[in-house]
Amino acid sequence: MPIDRMEHFLVLTDDIDATRRFYRDVLGFRDGARPDLGFPGYWLYLGETPVIHIADFAAYTAHSNRLGIPVTRPAIGTGPLDHVAFNGSNYEEIAARLQQHGLAYHPHDSPAIGLRQIFIEDPNGLKLELNFWSKR
């Protein structure tokens, strides 16, 4: 298959620092190297992969327009993208972090298949699905 894995997704935001704090401090991603791309932002890593790219919406838009690359239009919620899912290994730790930061979340358990889930929105309204499998 010519495409064999997902590398990253980009979150465009008006507040790159709040978005960075959410993914880093609440969910446990780590800061990592990011080249100078001509606009402010961060790369957050899982292992050796920069899975989440964060960029300032206005600066990224101006940069992309100069290069002739189309930019997603801002919309309420996530537009045609409903959510992004991640697997985790410690449900209780993530739930405690969310509570510590005063963040509302929606748990969902499917005991028949050994799955516990947490649904939460990032600071920009992007819905995240956090999956914790016991039978894998």
Side-chain angles (χ1 to χ4, degrees):
M1 172 182 234
I3 297 175
D4 61 11
R5 68 184 166 111
M6 181 179 163
E7 180 178 302
H8 72 270
F9 65 93
L10 171 64
V11 178
L12 294 176
T13 180
D14 293 326
D15 191 339
I16 61 174
D17 294 317
T19 302
R20 175 185 181 215
R21 283 190 302 272
F22 173 81
Y23 284 98
R24 184 191 62 198
D25 301 345
V26 177
L27 296 185
F29 289 77
R30 71 172 177 81
D31 283 312
R34 177 186 182 267
D36 180 2
L37 300 172
F39 54 90
Y42 300 105
W43 283 6
L44 299 178
Y45 286 67
L46 284 177
E48 298 303 312
T49 305
V51 177
I52 300 172
H53 294 188
I54 300 168
D56 176 78
F57 193 90
Y60 177 82
T61 299
H63 174 80
S64 293
N65 285 340
R66 281 192 301 274
L67 299 175
I69 300 170
V71 177
T72 302
R73 292 181 307 269
I76 296 172
T78 56
L81 175 67
D82 182 70
H83 67 274
V84 175
F86 295 98
N87 286 338
S89 59
N90 192 327
Y91 180 97
E92 289 76 17
E93 180 182 341
I94 291 294
R97 284 183 182 202
L98 296 173
Q99 291 168 3
Q100 175 187 357
H101 289 275
L103 298 171
Y105 64 93
H106 307 281
H108 181 269
D109 293 343
S110 299
I113 60 171
L115 175 62
R116 296 183 79 189
Q117 296 176 299
I118 291 175
F119 291 90
I120 186 163
E121 288 187 356
D122 85 351
N124 309 286
L126 176 60
K127 184 170 60 174
L128 303 176
E129 174 184 314
L130 309 178
N131 293 318
F132 302 86
W133 293 92
S134 62
K135 296 178 182 178
R136 274 207 169 173

PDB file of all heavy atoms in Angstrom, residues 5-9 23-24 27-32 43-52 84-88 130:
ATOM      1  N   ARG A   5       1.071   4.841   7.125  1.00  0.00           N
ATOM      2  CA  ARG A   5       0.862   5.282   8.502  1.00  0.00           C
ATOM      3  C   ARG A   5       0.476   6.749   8.528  1.00  0.00           C
ATOM      4  O   ARG A   5       0.770   7.496   7.597  1.00  0.00           O
ATOM      5  CB  ARG A   5       2.102   5.075   9.354  1.00  0.00           C
ATOM      6  CG  ARG A   5       3.269   5.959   8.985  1.00  0.00           C
ATOM      7  CD  ARG A   5       4.509   5.632   9.799  1.00  0.00           C
ATOM      8  NE  ARG A   5       5.659   6.256   9.189  1.00  0.00           N
ATOM      9  CZ  ARG A   5       6.326   7.265   9.730  1.00  0.00           C
ATOM     10  NH1 ARG A   5       5.988   7.740  10.902  1.00  0.00           N
ATOM     11  NH2 ARG A   5       7.354   7.775   9.101  1.00  0.00           N
ATOM     12  N   MET A   6      -0.170   7.136   9.596  1.00  0.00           N
ATOM     13  CA  MET A   6      -0.457   8.551   9.812  1.00  0.00           C
ATOM     14  C   MET A   6       0.737   9.156  10.533  1.00  0.00           C
ATOM     15  O   MET A   6       1.272   8.555  11.470  1.00  0.00           O
ATOM     16  CB  MET A   6      -1.708   8.731  10.670  1.00  0.00           C
ATOM     17  CG  MET A   6      -2.048  10.174  10.888  1.00  0.00           C
ATOM     18  SD  MET A   6      -3.532  10.334  11.883  1.00  0.00           S
ATOM     19  CE  MET A   6      -3.395  12.029  12.377  1.00  0.00           C
ATOM     20  N   GLU A   7       1.157  10.332  10.107  1.00  0.00           N
ATOM     21  CA  GLU A   7       2.307  10.978  10.723  1.00  0.00           C
ATOM     22  C   GLU A   7       1.901  12.048  11.722  1.00  0.00           C
ATOM     23  O   GLU A   7       2.351  12.062  12.848  1.00  0.00           O
ATOM     24  CB  GLU A   7       3.195  11.594   9.657  1.00  0.00           C
ATOM     25  CG  GLU A   7       4.403  12.269  10.256  1.00  0.00           C
ATOM     26  CD  GLU A   7       5.309  12.841   9.202  1.00  0.00           C
ATOM     27  OE1 GLU A   7       5.774  12.074   8.342  1.00  0.00           O
ATOM     28  OE2 GLU A   7       5.538  14.060   9.244  1.00  0.00           O
ATOM     29  N   HIS A   8       1.079  13.007  11.297  1.00  0.00           N
ATOM     30  CA  HIS A   8       0.703  14.090  12.205  1.00  0.00           C
ATOM     31  C   HIS A   8      -0.604  14.733  11.741  1.00  0.00           C
ATOM     32  O   HIS A   8      -1.066  14.492  10.641  1.00  0.00           O
ATOM     33  CB  HIS A   8       1.800  15.162  12.276  1.00  0.00           C
ATOM     34  CG  HIS A   8       1.916  16.002  11.038  1.00  0.00           C
ATOM     35  ND1 HIS A   8       2.743  15.661   9.991  1.00  0.00           N
ATOM     36  CD2 HIS A   8       1.312  17.163  10.673  1.00  0.00           C
ATOM     37  CE1 HIS A   8       2.650  16.586   9.044  1.00  0.00           C
ATOM     38  NE2 HIS A   8       1.772  17.499   9.438  1.00  0.00           N
ATOM     39  N   PHE A   9      -1.166  15.542  12.648  1.00  0.00           N
ATOM     40  CA  PHE A   9      -2.228  16.439  12.237  1.00  0.00           C
ATOM     41  C   PHE A   9      -1.889  17.829  12.752  1.00  0.00           C
ATOM     42  O   PHE A   9      -1.144  17.983  13.722  1.00  0.00           O
ATOM     43  CB  PHE A   9      -3.624  15.965  12.680  1.00  0.00           C
ATOM     44  CG  PHE A   9      -3.867  15.932  14.156  1.00  0.00           C
ATOM     45  CD1 PHE A   9      -4.442  17.010  14.808  1.00  0.00           C
ATOM     46  CD2 PHE A   9      -3.573  14.803  14.900  1.00  0.00           C
ATOM     47  CE1 PHE A   9      -4.685  16.979  16.164  1.00  0.00           C
ATOM     48  CE2 PHE A   9      -3.819  14.747  16.251  1.00  0.00           C
ATOM     49  CZ  PHE A   9      -4.377  15.849  16.897  1.00  0.00           C
ATOM     50  N   TYR A  23      -2.143  19.723  25.272  1.00  0.00           N
ATOM     51  CA  TYR A  23      -1.608  18.451  24.781  1.00  0.00           C
ATOM     52  C   TYR A  23      -0.400  17.981  25.603  1.00  0.00           C
ATOM     53  O   TYR A  23      -0.238  16.790  25.843  1.00  0.00           O
ATOM     54  CB  TYR A  23      -1.249  18.550  23.294  1.00  0.00           C
ATOM     55  CG  TYR A  23      -2.465  18.517  22.407  1.00  0.00           C
ATOM     56  CD1 TYR A  23      -3.029  19.676  21.903  1.00  0.00           C
ATOM     57  CD2 TYR A  23      -3.082  17.302  22.107  1.00  0.00           C
ATOM     58  CE1 TYR A  23      -4.158  19.637  21.104  1.00  0.00           C
ATOM     59  CE2 TYR A  23      -4.212  17.262  21.300  1.00  0.00           C
ATOM     60  CZ  TYR A  23      -4.749  18.428  20.813  1.00  0.00           C
ATOM     61  OH  TYR A  23      -5.884  18.377  20.030  1.00  0.00           O
ATOM     62  N   ARG A  24       0.413  18.901  26.050  1.00  0.00           N
ATOM     63  CA  ARG A  24       1.610  18.538  26.811  1.00  0.00           C
ATOM     64  C   ARG A  24       1.275  18.246  28.277  1.00  0.00           C
ATOM     65  O   ARG A  24       1.583  17.165  28.783  1.00  0.00           O
ATOM     66  CB  ARG A  24       2.633  19.673  26.728  1.00  0.00           C
ATOM     67  CG  ARG A  24       3.957  19.361  27.414  1.00  0.00           C
ATOM     68  CD  ARG A  24       4.819  20.590  27.535  1.00  0.00           C
ATOM     69  NE  ARG A  24       4.121  21.575  28.359  1.00  0.00           N
ATOM     70  CZ  ARG A  24       4.426  22.859  28.392  1.00  0.00           C
ATOM     71  NH1 ARG A  24       5.404  23.337  27.643  1.00  0.00           N
ATOM     72  NH2 ARG A  24       3.759  23.693  29.159  1.00  0.00           N
ATOM     73  N   LEU A  27      -2.490  15.847  28.465  1.00  0.00           N
ATOM     74  CA  LEU A  27      -2.468  14.533  27.830  1.00  0.00           C
ATOM     75  C   LEU A  27      -1.095  13.864  27.849  1.00  0.00           C
ATOM     76  O   LEU A  27      -0.998  12.668  27.596  1.00  0.00           O
ATOM     77  CB  LEU A  27      -2.986  14.629  26.395  1.00  0.00           C
ATOM     78  CG  LEU A  27      -4.449  15.063  26.267  1.00  0.00           C
ATOM     79  CD1 LEU A  27      -4.876  15.004  24.806  1.00  0.00           C
ATOM     80  CD2 LEU A  27      -5.366  14.218  27.130  1.00  0.00           C
ATOM     81  N   GLY A  28      -0.031  14.596  28.117  1.00  0.00           N
ATOM     82  CA  GLY A  28       1.275  13.981  28.285  1.00  0.00           C
ATOM     83  C   GLY A  28       2.146  13.878  27.048  1.00  0.00           C
ATOM     84  O   GLY A  28       3.148  13.171  27.060  1.00  0.00           O
ATOM     85  N   PHE A  29       1.806  14.572  25.968  1.00  0.00           N
ATOM     86  CA  PHE A  29       2.706  14.627  24.818  1.00  0.00           C
ATOM     87  C   PHE A  29       3.957  15.393  25.249  1.00  0.00           C
ATOM     88  O   PHE A  29       3.929  16.138  26.223  1.00  0.00           O
ATOM     89  CB  PHE A  29       2.040  15.348  23.640  1.00  0.00           C
ATOM     90  CG  PHE A  29       0.934  14.568  22.998  1.00  0.00           C
ATOM     91  CD1 PHE A  29      -0.316  14.473  23.592  1.00  0.00           C
ATOM     92  CD2 PHE A  29       1.136  13.930  21.785  1.00  0.00           C
ATOM     93  CE1 PHE A  29      -1.334  13.737  22.997  1.00  0.00           C
ATOM     94  CE2 PHE A  29       0.131  13.206  21.179  1.00  0.00           C
ATOM     95  CZ  PHE A  29      -1.109  13.113  21.793  1.00  0.00           C
ATOM     96  N   ARG A  30       5.056  15.232  24.512  1.00  0.00           N
ATOM     97  CA  ARG A  30       6.263  15.967  24.888  1.00  0.00           C
ATOM     98  C   ARG A  30       6.658  16.942  23.786  1.00  0.00           C
ATOM     99  O   ARG A  30       6.449  16.694  22.602  1.00  0.00           O
ATOM    100  CB  ARG A  30       7.403  15.017  25.225  1.00  0.00           C
ATOM    101  CG  ARG A  30       7.998  14.293  24.070  1.00  0.00           C
ATOM    102  CD  ARG A  30       9.260  13.510  24.462  1.00  0.00           C
ATOM    103  NE  ARG A  30       9.755  12.764  23.316  1.00  0.00           N
ATOM    104  CZ  ARG A  30      10.488  13.285  22.341  1.00  0.00           C
ATOM    105  NH1 ARG A  30      10.821  14.562  22.365  1.00  0.00           N
ATOM    106  NH2 ARG A  30      10.887  12.529  21.327  1.00  0.00           N
ATOM    107  N   ASP A  31       7.207  18.086  24.229  1.00  0.00           N
ATOM    108  CA  ASP A  31       7.762  19.055  23.291  1.00  0.00           C
ATOM    109  C   ASP A  31       8.925  18.427  22.553  1.00  0.00           C
ATOM    110  O   ASP A  31       9.653  17.597  23.117  1.00  0.00           O
ATOM    111  CB  ASP A  31       8.304  20.278  24.040  1.00  0.00           C
ATOM    112  CG  ASP A  31       7.221  21.222  24.491  1.00  0.00           C
ATOM    113  OD1 ASP A  31       6.352  21.546  23.670  1.00  0.00           O
ATOM    114  OD2 ASP A  31       7.262  21.646  25.656  1.00  0.00           O
ATOM    115  N   GLY A  32       9.111  18.845  21.316  1.00  0.00           N
ATOM    116  CA  GLY A  32      10.237  18.331  20.557  1.00  0.00           C
ATOM    117  C   GLY A  32      10.708  19.331  19.533  1.00  0.00           C
ATOM    118  O   GLY A  32      10.161  20.420  19.390  1.00  0.00           O
ATOM    119  N   TRP A  43       5.767  21.520  17.765  1.00  0.00           N
ATOM    120  CA  TRP A  43       5.573  20.116  17.436  1.00  0.00           C
ATOM    121  C   TRP A  43       5.589  19.338  18.738  1.00  0.00           C
ATOM    122  O   TRP A  43       6.506  19.498  19.556  1.00  0.00           O
ATOM    123  CB  TRP A  43       6.692  19.603  16.534  1.00  0.00           C
ATOM    124  CG  TRP A  43       6.586  20.027  15.098  1.00  0.00           C
ATOM    125  CD1 TRP A  43       5.698  20.893  14.543  1.00  0.00           C
ATOM    126  CD2 TRP A  43       7.436  19.593  14.031  1.00  0.00           C
ATOM    127  NE1 TRP A  43       5.931  21.032  13.204  1.00  0.00           N
ATOM    128  CE2 TRP A  43       7.000  20.241  12.859  1.00  0.00           C
ATOM    129  CE3 TRP A  43       8.513  18.739  13.952  1.00  0.00           C
ATOM    130  CZ2 TRP A  43       7.605  20.044  11.623  1.00  0.00           C
ATOM    131  CZ3 TRP A  43       9.128  18.537  12.719  1.00  0.00           C
ATOM    132  CH2 TRP A  43       8.669  19.190  11.578  1.00  0.00           C
ATOM    133  N   LEU A  44       4.565  18.499  18.923  1.00  0.00           N
ATOM    134  CA  LEU A  44       4.462  17.664  20.117  1.00  0.00           C
ATOM    135  C   LEU A  44       4.562  16.204  19.701  1.00  0.00           C
ATOM    136  O   LEU A  44       3.951  15.783  18.720  1.00  0.00           O
ATOM    137  CB  LEU A  44       3.164  17.950  20.852  1.00  0.00           C
ATOM    138  CG  LEU A  44       3.042  19.403  21.338  1.00  0.00           C
ATOM    139  CD1 LEU A  44       1.708  19.627  22.017  1.00  0.00           C
ATOM    140  CD2 LEU A  44       4.181  19.773  22.263  1.00  0.00           C
ATOM    141  N   TYR A  45       5.308  15.452  20.473  1.00  0.00           N
ATOM    142  CA  TYR A  45       5.719  14.106  20.084  1.00  0.00           C
ATOM    143  C   TYR A  45       5.075  13.013  20.921  1.00  0.00           C
ATOM    144  O   TYR A  45       4.814  13.180  22.117  1.00  0.00           O
ATOM    145  CB  TYR A  45       7.237  13.968  20.256  1.00  0.00           C
ATOM    146  CG  TYR A  45       8.050  14.680  19.209  1.00  0.00           C
ATOM    147  CD1 TYR A  45       8.074  16.067  19.119  1.00  0.00           C
ATOM    148  CD2 TYR A  45       8.826  13.960  18.315  1.00  0.00           C
ATOM    149  CE1 TYR A  45       8.843  16.707  18.165  1.00  0.00           C
ATOM    150  CE2 TYR A  45       9.600  14.598  17.349  1.00  0.00           C
ATOM    151  CZ  TYR A  45       9.601  15.973  17.283  1.00  0.00           C
ATOM    152  OH  TYR A  45      10.364  16.618  16.327  1.00  0.00           O
ATOM    153  N   LEU A  46       4.869  11.866  20.262  1.00  0.00           N
ATOM    154  CA  LEU A  46       4.638  10.567  20.891  1.00  0.00           C
ATOM    155  C   LEU A  46       5.807   9.712  20.426  1.00  0.00           C
ATOM    156  O   LEU A  46       5.964   9.493  19.220  1.00  0.00           O
ATOM    157  CB  LEU A  46       3.329   9.929  20.436  1.00  0.00           C
ATOM    158  CG  LEU A  46       2.042  10.481  21.011  1.00  0.00           C
ATOM    159  CD1 LEU A  46       0.835   9.771  20.400  1.00  0.00           C
ATOM    160  CD2 LEU A  46       2.016  10.361  22.516  1.00  0.00           C
ATOM    161  N   GLY A  47       6.637   9.286  21.346  1.00  0.00           N
ATOM    162  CA  GLY A  47       7.846   8.574  20.945  1.00  0.00           C
ATOM    163  C   GLY A  47       8.714   9.487  20.106  1.00  0.00           C
ATOM    164  O   GLY A  47       8.972  10.626  20.475  1.00  0.00           O
ATOM    165  N   GLU A  48       9.119   9.006  18.944  1.00  0.00           N
ATOM    166  CA  GLU A  48       9.986   9.777  18.062  1.00  0.00           C
ATOM    167  C   GLU A  48       9.222  10.521  16.969  1.00  0.00           C
ATOM    168  O   GLU A  48       9.830  11.147  16.100  1.00  0.00           O
ATOM    169  CB  GLU A  48      11.024   8.847  17.414  1.00  0.00           C
ATOM    170  CG  GLU A  48      11.954   8.187  18.430  1.00  0.00           C
ATOM    171  CD  GLU A  48      12.698   9.202  19.284  1.00  0.00           C
ATOM    172  OE1 GLU A  48      13.264  10.161  18.721  1.00  0.00           O
ATOM    173  OE2 GLU A  48      12.696   9.045  20.520  1.00  0.00           O
ATOM    174  N   THR A  49       7.908  10.460  16.991  1.00  0.00           N
ATOM    175  CA  THR A  49       7.101  11.053  15.923  1.00  0.00           C
ATOM    176  C   THR A  49       6.424  12.337  16.395  1.00  0.00           C
ATOM    177  O   THR A  49       5.722  12.336  17.412  1.00  0.00           O
ATOM    178  CB  THR A  49       6.015  10.058  15.451  1.00  0.00           C
ATOM    179  OG1 THR A  49       6.659   8.844  15.066  1.00  0.00           O
ATOM    180  CG2 THR A  49       5.227  10.612  14.280  1.00  0.00           C
ATOM    181  N   PRO A  50       6.585  13.440  15.650  1.00  0.00           N
ATOM    182  CA  PRO A  50       5.885  14.676  15.981  1.00  0.00           C
ATOM    183  C   PRO A  50       4.423  14.588  15.508  1.00  0.00           C
ATOM    184  O   PRO A  50       4.083  15.030  14.415  1.00  0.00           O
ATOM    185  CB  PRO A  50       6.670  15.753  15.228  1.00  0.00           C
ATOM    186  CG  PRO A  50       7.254  15.032  14.057  1.00  0.00           C
ATOM    187  CD  PRO A  50       7.491  13.610  14.508  1.00  0.00           C
ATOM    188  N   VAL A  51       3.584  14.027  16.340  1.00  0.00           N
ATOM    189  CA  VAL A  51       2.214  13.673  15.973  1.00  0.00           C
ATOM    190  C   VAL A  51       1.304  14.895  15.852  1.00  0.00           C
ATOM    191  O   VAL A  51       0.431  14.942  14.992  1.00  0.00           O
ATOM    192  CB  VAL A  51       1.623  12.686  17.006  1.00  0.00           C
ATOM    193  CG1 VAL A  51       0.183  12.342  16.713  1.00  0.00           C
ATOM    194  CG2 VAL A  51       2.453  11.420  17.061  1.00  0.00           C
ATOM    195  N   ILE A  52       1.501  15.877  16.714  1.00  0.00           N
ATOM    196  CA  ILE A  52       0.646  17.058  16.699  1.00  0.00           C
ATOM    197  C   ILE A  52       1.481  18.277  16.351  1.00  0.00           C
ATOM    198  O   ILE A  52       2.462  18.583  17.028  1.00  0.00           O
ATOM    199  CB  ILE A  52      -0.053  17.269  18.054  1.00  0.00           C
ATOM    200  CG1 ILE A  52      -0.911  16.057  18.390  1.00  0.00           C
ATOM    201  CG2 ILE A  52      -0.896  18.551  18.025  1.00  0.00           C
ATOM    202  CD1 ILE A  52      -1.489  16.082  19.774  1.00  0.00           C
ATOM    203  N   VAL A  84     -10.270  12.873  16.511  1.00  0.00           N
ATOM    204  CA  VAL A  84      -8.991  12.192  16.355  1.00  0.00           C
ATOM    205  C   VAL A  84      -8.861  11.272  17.557  1.00  0.00           C
ATOM    206  O   VAL A  84      -9.158  11.670  18.679  1.00  0.00           O
ATOM    207  CB  VAL A  84      -7.827  13.198  16.316  1.00  0.00           C
ATOM    208  CG1 VAL A  84      -6.492  12.487  16.269  1.00  0.00           C
ATOM    209  CG2 VAL A  84      -7.979  14.146  15.127  1.00  0.00           C
ATOM    210  N   ALA A  85      -8.419  10.026  17.329  1.00  0.00           N
ATOM    211  CA  ALA A  85      -8.337   9.042  18.411  1.00  0.00           C
ATOM    212  C   ALA A  85      -6.895   8.664  18.708  1.00  0.00           C
ATOM    213  O   ALA A  85      -6.066   8.574  17.798  1.00  0.00           O
ATOM    214  CB  ALA A  85      -9.139   7.793  18.047  1.00  0.00           C
ATOM    215  N   PHE A  86      -6.636   8.432  19.991  1.00  0.00           N
ATOM    216  CA  PHE A  86      -5.340   7.962  20.454  1.00  0.00           C
ATOM    217  C   PHE A  86      -5.556   6.774  21.374  1.00  0.00           C
ATOM    218  O   PHE A  86      -6.573   6.697  22.066  1.00  0.00           O
ATOM    219  CB  PHE A  86      -4.611   9.053  21.257  1.00  0.00           C
ATOM    220  CG  PHE A  86      -4.252  10.258  20.453  1.00  0.00           C
ATOM    221  CD1 PHE A  86      -5.050  11.391  20.483  1.00  0.00           C
ATOM    222  CD2 PHE A  86      -3.123  10.264  19.659  1.00  0.00           C
ATOM    223  CE1 PHE A  86      -4.723  12.507  19.748  1.00  0.00           C
ATOM    224  CE2 PHE A  86      -2.783  11.384  18.909  1.00  0.00           C
ATOM    225  CZ  PHE A  86      -3.583  12.508  18.954  1.00  0.00           C
ATOM    226  N   ASN A  87      -4.603   5.865  21.397  1.00  0.00           N
ATOM    227  CA  ASN A  87      -4.600   4.774  22.369  1.00  0.00           C
ATOM    228  C   ASN A  87      -3.751   5.194  23.549  1.00  0.00           C
ATOM    229  O   ASN A  87      -2.743   5.876  23.381  1.00  0.00           O
ATOM    230  CB  ASN A  87      -4.030   3.487  21.770  1.00  0.00           C
ATOM    231  CG  ASN A  87      -4.983   2.824  20.812  1.00  0.00           C
ATOM    232  OD1 ASN A  87      -6.186   3.044  20.858  1.00  0.00           O
ATOM    233  ND2 ASN A  87      -4.450   2.015  19.928  1.00  0.00           N
ATOM    234  N   GLY A  88      -4.159   4.769  24.744  1.00  0.00           N
ATOM    235  CA  GLY A  88      -3.406   5.048  25.952  1.00  0.00           C
ATOM    236  C   GLY A  88      -3.278   3.795  26.781  1.00  0.00           C
ATOM    237  O   GLY A  88      -3.865   2.752  26.467  1.00  0.00           O
ATOM    238  N   LEU A 130      -9.929   9.099  23.498  1.00  0.00           N
ATOM    239  CA  LEU A 130      -8.801   8.422  24.134  1.00  0.00           C
ATOM    240  C   LEU A 130      -9.235   7.003  24.471  1.00  0.00           C
ATOM    241  O   LEU A 130     -10.181   6.807  25.242  1.00  0.00           O
ATOM    242  CB  LEU A 130      -8.389   9.186  25.390  1.00  0.00           C
ATOM    243  CG  LEU A 130      -8.156  10.696  25.217  1.00  0.00           C
ATOM    244  CD1 LEU A 130      -7.800  11.338  26.544  1.00  0.00           C
ATOM    245  CD2 LEU A 130      -7.094  10.950  24.162  1.00  0.00           C
TER     246      LEU A 130
END
